[in-house]
mmCIF file of all heavy atoms in Angstrom:
data_model
loop_
_atom_site.group_PDB
_atom_site.id
_atom_site.type_symbol
_atom_site.label_atom_id
_atom_site.label_comp_id
_atom_site.label_asym_id
_atom_site.label_seq_id
_atom_site.Cartn_x
_atom_site.Cartn_y
_atom_site.Cartn_z
ATOM 1 N N ALA S 2 58.405 92.730 84.845
ATOM 2 C CA ALA S 2 57.869 93.470 85.990
ATOM 3 C C ALA S 2 58.802 93.610 87.077
ATOM 4 O O ALA S 2 59.590 92.687 87.448
ATOM 5 C CB ALA S 2 56.633 92.679 86.481
ATOM 6 N N THR S 20 75.461 76.791 98.098
ATOM 7 C CA THR S 20 75.543 76.178 96.781
ATOM 8 C C THR S 20 74.293 75.426 96.561
ATOM 9 O O THR S 20 73.404 75.292 97.413
ATOM 10 C CB THR S 20 76.728 75.144 96.742
ATOM 11 O OG1 THR S 20 76.430 74.074 97.632
ATOM 12 C CG2 THR S 20 78.042 75.765 97.187
ATOM 13 N N PHE S 24 75.611 73.463 100.727
ATOM 14 C CA PHE S 24 76.709 73.822 101.582
ATOM 15 C C PHE S 24 76.995 75.290 101.485
ATOM 16 O O PHE S 24 76.785 75.915 100.511
ATOM 17 C CB PHE S 24 78.017 73.105 101.093
ATOM 18 C CG PHE S 24 77.937 71.598 101.386
ATOM 19 C CD1 PHE S 24 77.701 70.709 100.360
ATOM 20 C CD2 PHE S 24 78.144 71.113 102.632
ATOM 21 C CE1 PHE S 24 77.636 69.343 100.569
ATOM 22 C CE2 PHE S 24 78.041 69.698 102.859
ATOM 23 C CZ PHE S 24 77.834 68.850 101.804
ATOM 24 N N GLU S 61 107.355 112.329 82.590
ATOM 25 C CA GLU S 61 106.758 111.682 81.459
ATOM 26 C C GLU S 61 105.256 111.828 81.376
ATOM 27 O O GLU S 61 104.536 112.015 82.436
ATOM 28 C CB GLU S 61 107.136 110.157 81.411
ATOM 29 C CG GLU S 61 108.461 109.897 80.865
ATOM 30 C CD GLU S 61 108.893 108.433 80.908
ATOM 31 O OE1 GLU S 61 108.146 107.649 81.491
ATOM 32 O OE2 GLU S 61 109.903 108.084 80.339
ATOM 33 N N SER S 79 97.533 104.969 92.436
ATOM 34 C CA SER S 79 97.603 104.516 91.043
ATOM 35 C C SER S 79 96.536 105.276 90.174
ATOM 36 O O SER S 79 95.521 105.735 90.660
ATOM 37 C CB SER S 79 97.409 103.011 90.935
ATOM 38 O OG SER S 79 96.196 102.617 91.590
ATOM 39 N N THR S 85 101.821 114.735 88.354
ATOM 40 C CA THR S 85 101.123 115.129 89.582
ATOM 41 C C THR S 85 101.755 114.438 90.824
ATOM 42 O O THR S 85 102.054 115.115 91.794
ATOM 43 C CB THR S 85 99.629 114.692 89.533
ATOM 44 O OG1 THR S 85 99.103 115.151 88.324
ATOM 45 C CG2 THR S 85 98.861 115.206 90.668
ATOM 46 N N GLU S 108 103.143 84.093 88.143
ATOM 47 C CA GLU S 108 103.020 82.688 87.922
ATOM 48 C C GLU S 108 103.455 81.933 89.199
ATOM 49 O O GLU S 108 102.918 80.829 89.561
ATOM 50 C CB GLU S 108 103.903 82.174 86.761
ATOM 51 C CG GLU S 108 103.183 82.486 85.403
ATOM 52 C CD GLU S 108 103.966 82.134 84.178
ATOM 53 O OE1 GLU S 108 104.859 81.182 84.321
ATOM 54 O OE2 GLU S 108 103.744 82.664 83.112
ATOM 55 N N MET S 133 87.313 77.394 98.236
ATOM 56 C CA MET S 133 87.876 76.512 99.282
ATOM 57 C C MET S 133 86.695 75.699 99.936
ATOM 58 O O MET S 133 86.946 75.098 100.936
ATOM 59 C CB MET S 133 88.592 77.327 100.336
ATOM 60 C CG MET S 133 89.749 78.165 99.894
ATOM 61 S SD MET S 133 91.047 77.103 99.139
ATOM 62 C CE MET S 133 91.616 76.201 100.587
ATOM 63 N N HIS S 151 99.096 82.315 103.674
ATOM 64 C CA HIS S 151 99.827 83.593 103.766
ATOM 65 C C HIS S 151 101.270 83.290 104.059
ATOM 66 O O HIS S 151 102.142 83.906 103.446
ATOM 67 C CB HIS S 151 99.213 84.396 104.915
ATOM 68 C CG HIS S 151 99.822 85.721 105.117
ATOM 69 N ND1 HIS S 151 100.892 85.987 105.922
ATOM 70 C CD2 HIS S 151 99.510 86.931 104.569
ATOM 71 C CE1 HIS S 151 101.252 87.248 105.871
ATOM 72 N NE2 HIS S 151 100.421 87.855 105.000
ATOM 73 N N SER S 233 63.178 97.462 93.763
ATOM 74 C CA SER S 233 62.459 98.010 92.649
ATOM 75 C C SER S 233 62.863 99.508 92.410
ATOM 76 O O SER S 233 62.947 99.925 91.221
ATOM 77 C CB SER S 233 60.949 97.903 92.830
ATOM 78 O OG SER S 233 60.608 98.560 94.025
ATOM 79 N N ALA S 245 71.481 94.524 90.395
ATOM 80 C CA ALA S 245 72.667 93.779 90.851
ATOM 81 C C ALA S 245 73.239 94.521 92.153
ATOM 82 O O ALA S 245 73.643 93.825 93.070
ATOM 83 C CB ALA S 245 73.776 93.786 89.728
ATOM 84 N N GLU S 305 99.110 83.446 68.458
ATOM 85 C CA GLU S 305 99.497 82.729 69.616
ATOM 86 C C GLU S 305 98.273 82.019 70.298
ATOM 87 O O GLU S 305 98.331 80.911 70.751
ATOM 88 C CB GLU S 305 100.128 83.599 70.654
ATOM 89 C CG GLU S 305 101.578 83.849 70.368
ATOM 90 C CD GLU S 305 102.198 85.015 71.218
ATOM 91 O OE1 GLU S 305 101.456 85.510 72.126
ATOM 92 O OE2 GLU S 305 103.318 85.313 70.977
ATOM 93 N N THR S 332 83.611 89.788 56.617
ATOM 94 C CA THR S 332 82.783 88.659 56.347
ATOM 95 C C THR S 332 83.567 87.319 56.703
ATOM 96 O O THR S 332 82.926 86.359 57.045
ATOM 97 C CB THR S 332 82.460 88.639 54.801
ATOM 98 O OG1 THR S 332 83.612 88.938 54.073
ATOM 99 C CG2 THR S 332 81.342 89.576 54.487
ATOM 100 N N PHE S 342 95.562 95.257 59.072
ATOM 101 C CA PHE S 342 96.122 96.549 58.852
ATOM 102 C C PHE S 342 95.373 97.331 57.656
ATOM 103 O O PHE S 342 95.059 98.462 57.779
ATOM 104 C CB PHE S 342 97.562 96.509 58.455
ATOM 105 C CG PHE S 342 98.167 97.882 58.195
ATOM 106 C CD1 PHE S 342 98.157 98.921 59.094
ATOM 107 C CD2 PHE S 342 98.800 98.089 56.919
ATOM 108 C CE1 PHE S 342 98.670 100.158 58.826
ATOM 109 C CE2 PHE S 342 99.330 99.391 56.656
ATOM 110 C CZ PHE S 342 99.290 100.386 57.587
ATOM 111 N N ASP S 389 102.652 81.216 56.890
ATOM 112 C CA ASP S 389 103.978 80.644 57.085
ATOM 113 C C ASP S 389 105.006 81.683 57.337
ATOM 114 O O ASP S 389 105.858 81.574 58.234
ATOM 115 C CB ASP S 389 104.340 79.760 55.855
ATOM 116 C CG ASP S 389 103.381 78.563 55.671
ATOM 117 O OD1 ASP S 389 102.694 78.276 56.630
ATOM 118 O OD2 ASP S 389 103.417 78.028 54.540
ATOM 119 N N ARG S 417 111.465 105.672 60.869
ATOM 120 C CA ARG S 417 111.596 107.042 61.315
ATOM 121 C C ARG S 417 111.009 107.180 62.736
ATOM 122 O O ARG S 417 111.644 107.722 63.634
ATOM 123 C CB ARG S 417 110.764 107.902 60.409
ATOM 124 C CG ARG S 417 110.910 109.459 60.734
ATOM 125 C CD ARG S 417 109.664 110.104 60.239
ATOM 126 N NE ARG S 417 109.511 110.008 58.835
ATOM 127 C CZ ARG S 417 109.219 111.038 58.031
ATOM 128 N NH1 ARG S 417 108.951 112.205 58.585
ATOM 129 N NH2 ARG S 417 109.081 110.897 56.756
#
Side-chain angles (χ1 to χ4, degrees):
Chain S
T20 64
F24 291 104
E61 278 179 351
S79 51
T85 309
E108 284 182 22
M133 299 299 293
H151 185 270
S233 56
E305 279 170 4
T332 44
F342 178 58
D389 295 345
R417 185 207 297 222

